[in-house]
Amino acid sequence: MKNIVARTINKAVLAWGRGYLKDIEKSRTNAPEMQQRIFHRLIECGKQTAFGKEHDFNNIHSLSDFQSRVGISKYDDIAPYITRIRQGEDYVLWNQKVKWFAKSSGTSSDKSKFIPITQDSLHETHFKGMKMMLMNYAALNPDTRIFSTCALTLGGSVTPTVTEHSSRLSNIFEGDLSAVMLANSPPAVELLRTPSKKTSLIADFATKVELICKESTRKNVSNFSGVPSWNLVLMNKILEYTGKNNIMEVWPKMELFMHGGISFEPYREIYRKLFPSANMHYLENYNASEGYFAFQDSLEGGDGMLITANNGIFYEFIPFSKLNDALQGDNSCVVPLEDVKTDIDYAIVISTVGGLWRYMPEDLVRFTSTAPYKLLVVGRTKMFINAFGEELMINNAEKALAAAASKAKLNITDFTVAPCFMGIGDKKSEQDGALTRGYHLWAIEFDNPLYNPYSSLFSQRAVEEFAEILDMEIQKVNSDYEAKRSPNSTMQRLKIEPLAPGTFYKWMASRGKTGGQNKVPRLWKDLEYIDQLTNINRLSKEKAQ
């Protein structure tokens, strides 16, 4: 009977959402044509803006015209325009007034970014992308209960803005993208969502989690979404609050986690233990403050995410090897969607109905298919370590760590990596008259007493054994790293700094970056972050003693 009710509800929802299913099919079969339509619409709307007038949009009739008049931009390039909007000027970047900004610090810069969210980008890009993903999931899983139960959301917070020219609060709001979407969600959605909107938008992460435990454990939750790391913190708090062994004992109908922001691979085994159910599904989506770009359109996954070719975003792609040339104004290497090839790392460039023009979010993607167009996020244009010629990309690090953890049967909750340069501060090497080779230092938080420096069971030998496994796995996925690890080359085996459970959370809290879309910097240029983490670890240990 329950399955009949669920199927009936799903049938009604899919009938309502048939337009979204058609859009998905267009992305699969007619992506280049959809991109052309979006391009021409963007140019027409852009003519009505200050940016469009400055860049002579009236004389743009082709992609080459557009590329010759508008250079590739990063946030610092468009920041002056965004400042004008935040100070009250209208129609600067898009032909709509803007009152919402998605605040983001990114993972390769500490500077806050304020991405304008127009009514078009909110509804045609972000909301539409999520609806497409949900409709696709329901079409693939007719017995789903997501439309008759609650969705759990771990949102950020929004705050009114005080402009430079006013001492009073203006009619402009800023916050995490998740919070902006929550603040604008229609009342009907609130009937199938937990916790309350008021709780979801609380700024203090610890207070928010405490209230979620009280409110949401009494609800019938079937799905949740967000960044894996912060949701892992929440799920562990749920178990602590309820005294249950796993989340299925709390929410027996749980079936779907829609994740994004960071790689899920290092967390997959932990989530499998938290949700020991054959009916649990994990779907990845590529949803950033700048736009909703792609989503996993199969329940199995593994073959990439389908690019959303018709939701208000026009895409261009730069081969990573040609990035510097493109930034210097060489557009010959910049290609539209129809000209991408598989197995090449591209920097993604977007023009959107949010008023971003040839903007580079600094993500790197790799296409796994061009019929249809499916991609993987493989890193950031700045997030890699190349201290010794090893060119360790974030996808290499995450893939190797997941493989090593699986081999060692370990759960890893968080990590970050930095290079240690040859012989710097190494007293023994200086006394021996030689410099040691450089290496990578991994600060890793394990969910296992053997690797917890606080535990009486802690084993340095176990840590060394895992370092050996991880080093070998990196060599398997990165030939440059393998070459630099060869005898008499520039690198020695990586080292691991084990951290006690909760260290990363304390560190992010100390930086005011808990919850929402804040992400741990996985690869960093120096030991600044690892030094901070180890100091927190040391102080916590001293306090415990």
Side-chain angles (χ1 to χ4, degrees), residues 187-406:
V189 172
E190 294 304 301
L191 298 175
L192 294 177
R193 198 190 59 75
T194 186
S196 66
K197 184 179 288 189
K198 180 180 179 181
T199 295
S200 292
L201 296 177
I202 289 174
D204 183 73
F205 183 74
T207 302
K208 189 200 311 261
V209 168
E210 182 181 346
L211 289 174
I212 288 176
C213 289
K214 292 178 180 178
E215 291 182 34
S216 302
T217 51
R218 300 193 298 265
K219 298 296 182 72
N220 187 9
V221 176
S222 67
N223 63 100
F224 65 110
S225 59
V227 179
S229 54
W230 295 117
N231 275 279
L232 179 59
V233 173
L234 173 61
M235 293 304 157
N236 283 323
K237 290 293 184 182
I238 292 289
L239 293 183
E240 182 182 317
Y241 177 79
T242 61
K244 301 296 185 181
N245 295 312
N246 61 68
I247 299 299
M248 301 308 297
E249 293 180 4
V250 182
W251 295 307
K253 293 181 181 177
M254 182 66 77
E255 62 173 89
L256 176 64
F257 177 32
M258 295 166 283
H259 59 86
I262 61 176
S263 172
F264 187 58
E265 287 311 308
Y267 300 93
R268 190 175 295 277
E269 287 304 316
I270 299 178
Y271 273 84
R272 282 176 178 166
K273 291 180 179 179
L274 284 171
F275 301 89
S277 169
N279 296 321
M280 189 67 189
H281 299 101
Y282 301 93
L283 297 183
E284 183 176 10
N285 68 115
Y286 182 11
N287 185 21
S289 299
E290 296 86 354
Y292 194 107
F293 305 132
F295 67 92
Q296 181 183 323
D297 66 335
S298 67
L299 296 183
E300 295 76 24
D303 61 344
M305 293 176 283
L306 178 72
I307 196 165
T308 53
N310 57 332
N311 69 333
I313 302 170
F314 179 75
Y315 301 97
E316 298 173 78
F317 301 91
I318 309 169
F320 187 46
S321 60
K322 301 288 186 180
L323 181 58
N324 288 334
D325 295 338
L327 292 176
Q328 295 299 317
D330 182 2
N331 287 305
S332 65
C333 56
V334 186
V335 298
L337 181 64
E338 61 195 83
D339 291 334
V340 299
K341 295 179 171 57
T342 58
D343 300 322
I344 293 176
D345 290 349
Y346 291 101
I348 186 171
V349 177
I350 57 171
S351 298
T352 77
V353 292
L356 301 178
W357 298 102
R358 300 200 78 202
Y359 178 83
M360 194 169 72
E362 301 194 51
D363 289 332
L364 289 177
V365 301
R366 181 184 304 152
F367 284 87
T368 58
S369 167
T370 56
Y373 292 94
K374 289 191 174 186
L375 55 78
L376 298 171
V377 180
V378 296
R380 302 272 291 174
T381 58
K382 290 184 178 180
M383 190 181 286
F384 61 93
I385 298 177
N386 194 30
F388 315 108
E390 71 277 30
E391 295 190 15
L392 180 71
M393 303 294 292
I394 184 63
N395 65 309
N396 298 152
E398 291 173 334
K399 184 176 182 179
L401 184 61
S406 178

Side-chain angles (χ1 to χ4, degrees), residues 127-172:
F127 280 147
K128 182 180 177 181
M130 185 58 69
K131 289 174 183 175
M132 289 169 69
M133 185 177 191
L134 289 172
M135 292 301 115
N136 185 73
Y137 175 72
L140 295 174
N141 187 15
D143 290 321
T144 180
R145 292 184 173 90
I146 62 172
F147 301 122
S148 56
T149 53
C150 286
L152 175 68
T153 54
L154 182 60
S157 63
V158 291
T159 56
T161 300
V162 179
T163 70
E164 293 180 12
H165 302 295
S166 174
S167 60
R168 62 183 179 83
L169 297 180
S170 64
N171 195 33
I172 290 177

Side-chain angles (χ1 to χ4, degrees), residues 72-79 327 358-360 362 382:
I72 293 169
S73 64
K74 295 185 181 181
Y75 184 79
D76 287 346
D77 300 311
I78 65 167
L327 292 176
R358 300 200 78 202
Y359 178 83
M360 194 169 72
E362 301 194 51
K382 290 184 178 180

